[in-house]
Amino acid sequence: MIAGGSAVPRGWMRGSSTPLRGALLGLLLERPGHGGELAHRLRVRLGETWRIDGGDVYRLLEALESEGLVTYSEEPVRGRKRGTRTVYRPTERTAEAVSDWMQTLLPREPVRRGIEAKLAVARRADVRSLTVALRRHQQECLALSQMLPPASGRPHTWQELLADCKRDGVQRLLQAEIDWADCTIQRIEEHAASAH
Amino acid sequence: MRRARTDSRRPPRSPASEHPLLDDDSQDPFGADAASPPLLAFHRVVSCCQDATRQVTILDRISFQLAQGESAGLYGAPKSGKSTLLKLAAAIELAYAGTVRFEGVDVARIGVAQRARLLRDRIGLIVDDAWRPSAGETVLDHVAVALGSKGVAMRHARRLAIAQLDEVQVARLAAESACGLSLTDRARVMLATALVRQPSLLLIDEPAPLPSVTERERLIALIRQIAARRGIALLLAAEDLASLQGLHCLMSLSQGRLLTTKVQGATVVEMRSRRASAAERP
């Protein structure tokens, strides 16, 4: 289910690095920065499990620049070193692109990445999009769980045992996702309720 | 059918303005003259309870259908309302709002006696903490007695009980005392007790509360096989997803809302494979 069409180009929301791109744009809206600093902020905001690589961040910034969602300028460096460095900023279309991304539920996204990225940079106004995305995430995990073949009951061969172990791992992961989404929706709703 | 107006179990229906969740029920698609109603149908079911100072909603406008012979899993964290949902399905409790229909009949509109008969003859409900064997009772007698209330003679009941114990693979326990069974054996005897009455719907709260993973999987596989072979509809509620594999559809309860993998009679899995095979066709 992808939200209805808008004037903002959707081309940038493609591929498995979309969550990372969305998070980058969200960070830029908070504060411009140079490549290394943005990579660091991403690492802090998204956590170690994302394994952020500085090189990827530069490539993504360049891709976003060609989409017109990021602009850059050379600025003199303050401090010891002389010279300039590239500072990236949002464009006038970035805010709308981020709102759009918040509402868009991309099909077949890797489990959880999209939600984590959105949670990392969501603004107060995105609370509704987040709740919808979390519910959809639960739905997807439920469907994925149902697609798993059932246990045979007693594994006879080494291969069957391995298949049982792997399937067990995936089931636990999906269950954890469903529970986490449940808990997160509850936290968000309780916070929103108490704020009034 | 006489309206159960004096049924003390049914809470007084508040005017819509008092409960923000009450909706107009006139959209119920499963009216009495529907062609072939599903075996079990929940339509915008609401269940709540009083908690000290306020009313807590346990089930928030739950809707789903289960067809004859279909199997469904209900996943939910502890205290998410799974047991409540099963009790409503077994017509042990009545909903605050919305309708529960069994074989097209609104269970709130039939009398207490008729609901009890449903539970005895058509619906099997297995809840782990309902295990209460009498002292000195054998496993065989424990299962056979379940048929006694249906008016079956004891000798015939014992024969049916033995066959049923055999189907759940614990015929060897027939002469054993019903007290002091292992967890695994107990679970199978409880299954036999429910199955011997030949229900068309089996509701199980925590199908395999066993410590061993492989024992759990074997028991659940057995339940699935028996249900499939005998065309019994199945609704299993569990706190772990692993117990709910190989079923036609999966539902989950969170904050009183129900999510389901079923889409208009087919599961999401079936829809995707249908689309895939349609795409493959030249």
Side-chain angles (χ1 to χ4, degrees), chain A residues 151-169:
Chain A
S152 51
R154 179 162 276 176
H156 295 289
T157 68
W158 174 246
Q159 266 72 29
E160 278 176 6
L161 175 67
L162 293 179
D164 278 356
C165 294
K166 171 162 189 319
R167 188 196 52 249
D168 191 31

Side-chain angles (χ1 to χ4, degrees), chain B residues 136-141 162 165 170-178 181:
Chain B
E137 196 180 37
T138 62
V139 165
L140 180 62
D141 282 340
I162 265 285
L165 285 169
V170 285
R172 60 183 163 84
L173 294 176
E176 303 284 328
S177 165
L181 290 175

Side-chain angles (χ1 to χ4, degrees), chain B residues 26-38 41 43 99 101 103-106:
Chain B
S26 61
Q27 312 293 323
D28 185 357
F30 302 110
D33 33 41
S36 63
H43 179 70
T99 42
R101 288 181 191 272
E103 292 176 333
V105 174
D106 184 346

Side-chain angles (χ1 to χ4, degrees), chain A residues 18-39:
Chain A
T18 307
L20 204 47
R21 274 182 259 166
L24 252 184
L25 292 178
L27 285 180
L28 278 173
L29 283 175
E30 288 175 23
R31 199 173 75 241
H34 63 85
E37 181 205 332
L38 282 164

Side-chain angles (χ1 to χ4, degrees), chain B residues 2-8 10 108:
Chain B
R2 261 216 337 254
R3 197 177 274 264
R5 235 172 280 207
T6 50
D7 189 345
S8 56
R10 187 180 179 84

